Amino acid sequence: MKKKVKKMIEWFYQDTDRGEKNISECKNVYELVEKLQWRLEDLENEYMQLYRKFCELEDRLNDHDHG
């Protein structure tokens, strides 16, 4: 089972820059999943910040068009 999971993880990361690093740093698949969850949370946070900034810019444009 461990070989199958390792092969699946290697396949998932084979074309990425950090793939080998992620595989070598994680002792098991649970650590990898946890690391991916942290990254997902970071991406969600970045998305919310960008979305808020986009809305601010859109509001400024709309105010400019109507003022």
Side-chain angles (χ1 to χ4, degrees):
M1 181 68 172
K2 287 184 181 182
K3 286 184 183 180
K4 192 173 187 178
V5 170
K6 186 174 180 179
K7 282 184 181 182
M8 189 168 54
I9 292 170
E10 287 172 355
W11 169 81
F12 184 77
Y13 281 109
Q14 70 185 2
D15 294 326
T16 65
D17 294 339
R18 291 180 283 171
E20 292 299 319
K21 182 181 175 195
N22 284 340
I23 290 169
S24 65
E25 286 179 356
C26 296
K27 293 179 182 131
N28 58 48
V29 72
Y30 300 106
E31 285 184 16
L32 182 59
V33 169
E34 189 172 272
K35 191 172 187 175
L36 291 172
Q37 286 175 327
W38 290 336
R39 182 63 184 133
L40 182 58
E41 288 177 15
D42 289 343
L43 290 171
E44 288 172 340
N45 186 37
E46 290 173 29
Y47 166 77
M48 291 306 292
Q49 291 175 11
L50 289 170
Y51 184 73
R52 189 186 78 223
K53 190 68 169 173
F54 172 78
C55 289
E56 289 173 7
L57 292 171
E58 191 173 45
D59 288 344
R60 287 173 60 187
L61 283 173
N62 288 336
D63 288 345
H64 182 67
D65 288 342
H66 294 103

